[in-house]
Amino acid sequence: MSPIPITIVTGFLGSGKTTLILNLIPQLPKDYKLALLKNEFGDLAIDSQLASSSAISGVQELLNGCICCNLVGQLGDALDTLRHDVEPDRIIIETSGSAFPATLAMEVNRLGRESSHYALDGVIVVIDVENWQGYEDTSYTAKLQAKYTDLIVFNKWEHVSERRYEDCLDRVGDLELQVANVKSDKGRVDVAVLLGLDSAMAKKMDLKHVLDPADGHKHEHNADHQSEVEVLSVSLSARKCDERGVDLEALAEFLFSAPKDEVYRIKAIISASRPPAASDGSRADMFPEATGKIARYILNWAFGRWTFIPLRSSSGISDHQSALRMTIICARYEAEKWKKRILLDRLLKFEDAGEGDDLHIERLS
């Protein structure tokens, strides 16, 4: 069974973490099981609102302490309770505090290694631009802690001056981080940026919507709101595509080379003749029915880490015309550069070159 992806959302009290989660829910498939683990103090009205949502399958609370400190030992029990009682497709951990989530991220990684039940998908820090005064600690230790941050969401920036927003950027820069950052749209950030692609999401959402995220929401936002990301849609196709796999060495070179402050997420469904390797060197399983044949895998790359999840032939996800369907979510002004690099360096290709091979890259937004 595939591990449950875990997304950590952290930030100071009142920064807008719960609003971010509430705005995420309508973007998920209706039957997608999302569970929430939080350690807020009180906040009962919000908990009731979340629990009553059809997309929140369970809420578990850890109170009277910081989940990053004295409650970290209870994390495994709380996650196991959600896993057994709710059987979620994903767990979001929401925590208030210092916004340095290294201890929590390391604990999730430890639990994942020991049990194989969980996998850290991303660590998101929410900053209230209107009220945030910067990091109190900019020491070497703080910088090491902050390296566990994958994405910074600047919230409540609409009501402040451009100078105030630039001051926040400068204060983040004090920690010398190479970290992705986006502005929210009144507390909303696209699901494609916040969450990686998992097997449940791929199965429960239309394949085109999963891999072409810009297609489904072109007209949903205020036209005056400038997009915080740029999206590339990539396909690799040929005749008899279901009998050929992608070049895994070239793909690994591409994944290793993508800096996380330029490329935020890469999501793909690929065909491979052998199990591909994750960023930690572990290889994905191959289902028995695919032994000796081309197998299909979900690739989820998030902020420099990536995993591959095997797809069963009975998964309901099919695209026999392409050996690779990929979405690359980039920072602003980076999409054209990466499009050119992929084409010039031939980073995405079949393992055996042939006539009629077609690599198509289109910018969606």
Side-chain angles (χ1 to χ4, degrees), residues 36-37 255:
L36 178 68
L37 173 62
L255 298 178

Side-chain angles (χ1 to χ4, degrees), residues 76-136:
D77 292 339
L79 292 175
D80 287 343
T81 297
L82 287 172
R83 180 170 60 87
H84 288 297
D85 295 351
V86 180
E87 298 181 350
D89 296 317
R90 177 180 297 267
I91 297 173
I92 290 180
I93 300 176
E94 179 189 345
T95 176
S96 289
S98 67
F100 287 151
T103 305
L104 182 56
M106 287 188 287
E107 180 69 2
V108 171
N109 284 330
R110 184 188 69 81
L111 293 169
R113 286 193 305 271
E114 294 182 358
S115 70
S116 300
H117 294 316
Y118 312 106
L120 180 63
D121 179 51
V123 178
I124 300 166
V125 171
V126 182
I127 289 178
D128 173 2
V129 173
E130 194 170 9
N131 298 298
W132 189 59
Q133 298 301 317
Y135 292 108
E136 294 181 4

Side-chain angles (χ1 to χ4, degrees), residues 5 10 21 31 37 104 202 218 235 267 269-270 286:
T10 186
I21 296 170
D31 55 349
L37 173 62
L104 182 56
K218 287 178 182 176
S235 64
K267 312 178 186 190
I269 295 178
I270 71 165
M286 181 179 282

Side-chain angles (χ1 to χ4, degrees), residues 284-320:
D285 296 328
M286 181 179 282
F287 287 121
E289 69 251 31
T291 303
K293 302 178 182 178
I294 296 295
R296 291 171 68 76
Y297 298 87
I298 293 174
L299 162 65
N300 181 41
W301 185 103
F303 314 109
R305 303 181 301 269
W306 67 90
T307 58
F308 288 93
I309 303 172
L311 275 175
R312 292 185 181 274
S313 58
S314 59
S315 66
I317 303 171
S318 61
D319 181 14
H320 299 297

Side-chain angles (χ1 to χ4, degrees), residues 227-264:
S227 175
E228 286 294 300
V229 298
E230 297 176 347
V231 181
L232 294 175
S233 175
V234 184
S235 64
L236 179 64
S237 58
R239 293 190 299 272
K240 296 184 178 180
C241 208
D242 54 352
E243 299 177 7
R244 303 170 65 195
V246 302
D247 186 324
L248 295 180
E249 283 72 25
L251 177 61
E253 180 183 348
F254 168 54
L255 298 178
F256 271 115
S257 68
K260 62 181 184 179
D261 58 338
E262 295 182 11
V263 178
Y264 293 174

